[in-house]
Amino acid sequence: MIVRKFKIPSVPMTTNKSIRFPNPVIEQVENAIRGTDCTFTAFVVEAVKLALESLEEDKK
């Protein structure tokens, strides 16, 4: 199994989508991206991509 390491991404091209997050999760993400050029959205998109890849690997 190939495990890809999470990297804080740069800002991707996106479509607006509303989603609610628990406040503690928001705080953790904001702390993780503080001092980088990464946005909250870009971080979440990268995390979701990694989660989807993991699920695909689990299917194999």
Side-chain angles (χ1 to χ4, degrees):
M1 171 172 68
I2 298 173
V3 177
R4 189 167 63 94
K5 189 170 179 168
F6 183 82
K7 294 184 225 173
I8 295 177
S10 58
V11 179
M13 297 289 292
T14 63
T15 300
N16 191 22
K17 187 75 172 176
S18 296
I19 186 169
R20 294 179 184 264
F21 288 91
N23 290 335
V25 173
I26 291 171
E27 291 171 10
Q28 287 180 302
V29 172
E30 288 175 344
N31 287 335
I33 63 175
R34 187 172 288 119
T36 71
D37 67 346
C38 182
T39 64
F40 186 92
T41 298
F43 185 96
V44 171
V45 167
E46 185 65 16
V48 169
K49 285 180 182 178
L50 188 57
L52 291 170
E53 286 178 12
S54 177
L55 290 173
E56 283 299 314
E57 284 294 320
D58 287 349
K59 287 181 183 179
K60 294 179 181 177

